[in-house]
Amino acid sequence: MPVCRSWYEEFVHIHVLGSAAGGGFPQWNCNCRNCDGLRRGTLRARARTQSSIALSGNGADWLLCNASPDILAQLKSFAAAQPARAIRDTALRAILLVDAQIDHVTGLYMLREHRERWPLWTTRPVREDLERGNPIFPLLNHYCGSDWHEIVLDGAAFAIPTVPGLRFTALPLRSNAPPYSPHRDQPVDGDTIGLVVEDTANGRRLVYAPGVFEIDARLFDAMQKADVIMIDGTFFRDDEMIALGISKKRARDMGHLAQSGAGGMLERLAQLPASTRKILIHINNTNPILDEDSAEHAEVRAAGVEIAYDGMELQL
């Protein structure tokens, strides 16, 4: 039976807190063309913080999807996160992590001053990484504490009680585990997930997948049924970091599907219905699409694909 909601509650709210990959843009120690050009003011581009979004089914209670190292600055610029109902307050009602990567979990340290135990939703492999390799869970017990809820990979939808109006389904993704994980280069289901987020009132869907190495049949099926897709935009070319002399690893080695080339992200997104809103997120500082005057930026936009930016807001 449809849920009755007020005019303000009519849509699911999606707020992009951060749209960059690890290190942000510009990255503090990087002098690639993008980072140097942004600092000098010679590049037409926007600064971006590290990847994270917030979701709400009623505009009042918010789910934090990933807690980036930039979380404090992100929350300061997001007025809805601070309803000021008490001397210490927040509109964040729960936290969900799609992986255990540094750029998605470090913000938990900054949120240790919460007055209640944080409801934390992760898969079991992510919890294990955050208890051992990067022991954030034990650390939080010395501060606000946390209540862990397991995201089970059985294909069943689940609800987060403190964030009404939303229903979630986890999608195991082909990507890579963090360098400190025992699963590095040998990932298991649950190291990285995507989310199908459904509006319980109208059935409209978001697919959120900031880390993707391969679009398998399960993910592509979810993408075909989605109204909005926010997906891995880390690298434009598979050899991007190698060509710049920054790394010896290809995008695929780091668990990311590049946008260009045969079988690349742009080709796969072009196979979706024209009505689907397609947005790239988790964009590395080296990616030429950040330069709004570049041929690569123009190619992405001509393909009908948007490029996420900090503060971007959407409704389902």
Side-chain angles (χ1 to χ4, degrees):
M1 183 174 179
V3 177
C4 294
R5 295 187 290 188
S6 69
W7 178 86
Y8 183 68
E9 298 172 327
E10 186 176 354
F11 302 104
V12 168
H13 302 263
I14 306 164
H15 183 92
V16 176
L17 292 164
S19 53
F25 176 58
Q27 183 169 307
W28 68 277
N29 65 341
C30 185
N31 293 300
C32 69
R33 178 182 178 275
N34 282 350
C35 292
D36 185 62
L38 187 64
R39 289 192 195 98
R40 294 175 181 271
T42 59
L43 191 82
R44 192 163 68 92
R46 306 178 191 224
R48 288 169 164 86
T49 58
Q50 294 167 91
S51 174
S52 178
I53 66 171
L55 301 167
S56 177
N58 60 11
D61 302 298
W62 292 81
L63 172 69
L64 178 65
C65 288
N66 300 325
S68 94
D70 302 311
I71 187 64
L72 297 185
Q74 292 168 347
L75 292 179
K76 287 176 183 176
S77 64
F78 180 37
Q82 184 45 265
R85 297 163 297 197
I87 191 70
R88 294 285 178 91
D89 196 17
T90 180
L92 300 181
R93 307 291 288 143
I95 301 171
L96 185 151
L97 306 175
V98 301
D99 56 40
Q101 299 288 348
I102 289 287
D103 53 318
H104 284 158
V105 305
T106 305
L108 293 176
Y109 290 111
M110 289 68 170
L111 299 176
R112 67 191 183 278
E113 295 162 337
H114 192 37
R115 298 191 67 188
E116 302 173 6
R117 297 175 65 84
W118 277 115
L120 266 171
W121 296 73
T122 79
T123 62
R124 187 167 293 276
V126 167
R127 175 179 176 169
E128 291 170 355
D129 282 344
L130 297 181
E131 287 181 329
R132 298 168 190 161
N134 182 10
I136 293 179
F137 273 90
L139 179 138
L140 284 178
N141 288 333
H142 294 285
Y143 296 92
C144 60
S146 63
D147 291 324
W148 178 63
H149 301 267
E150 182 177 6
I151 298 175
V152 182
L153 303 176
D154 59 1
F158 63 95
I160 297 177
T162 52
V163 188
L166 304 178
R167 183 163 45 233
F168 305 87
T169 307
L171 298 170
L173 298 181
R174 290 286 307 278
S175 190
N176 207 345
Y180 59 79
S181 171
H183 306 147
R184 182 67 172 181
D185 298 326
Q186 294 181 317
V188 300
D189 276 359
D191 282 329
T192 305
I193 62 169
L195 284 179
V196 177
V197 183
E198 184 178 356
D199 184 326
T200 58
N202 61 28
R204 289 177 63 83
R205 295 181 179 183
L206 161 74
V207 167
Y208 176 58
V212 176
F213 162 71
E214 177 186 13
I215 298 178
D216 61 14
R218 183 168 40 189
L219 174 58
F220 191 66
D221 179 66
M223 291 166 63
Q224 287 181 306
K225 298 173 181 176
D227 300 281
V228 178
I229 293 168
M230 303 187 82
I231 198 162
D232 192 335
T234 311
F235 299 110
F236 189 78
R237 298 180 178 85
D238 191 50
D239 66 347
E240 191 170 302
M241 300 284 275
I242 297 173
L244 290 170
I246 294 174
S247 173
K248 296 180 180 179
K249 293 184 177 181
R250 294 180 174 273
R252 69 187 75 164
D253 299 326
M254 292 179 272
H256 300 287
L257 178 63
Q259 281 113 61
S260 62
M265 186 65 73
L266 291 181
E267 182 178 289
R268 298 308 308 274
L269 292 177
Q271 297 167 357
L272 298 174
S275 59
T276 307
R277 189 170 181 183
K278 311 167 190 78
I279 305 166
L280 298 176
I281 197 167
H282 193 271
I283 305 159
N284 201 56
N285 65 87
T286 58
N287 194 326
I289 68 173
L290 291 172
D291 177 357
E292 297 175 14
D293 294 319
S294 69
E296 293 85 354
H297 182 97
E299 181 180 346
V300 167
R301 298 298 291 120
V305 177
E306 299 175 62
I307 301 168
Y309 55 87
D310 291 20
M312 184 180 196
E313 294 193 334
L314 305 85
Q315 293 177 331
L316 278 185

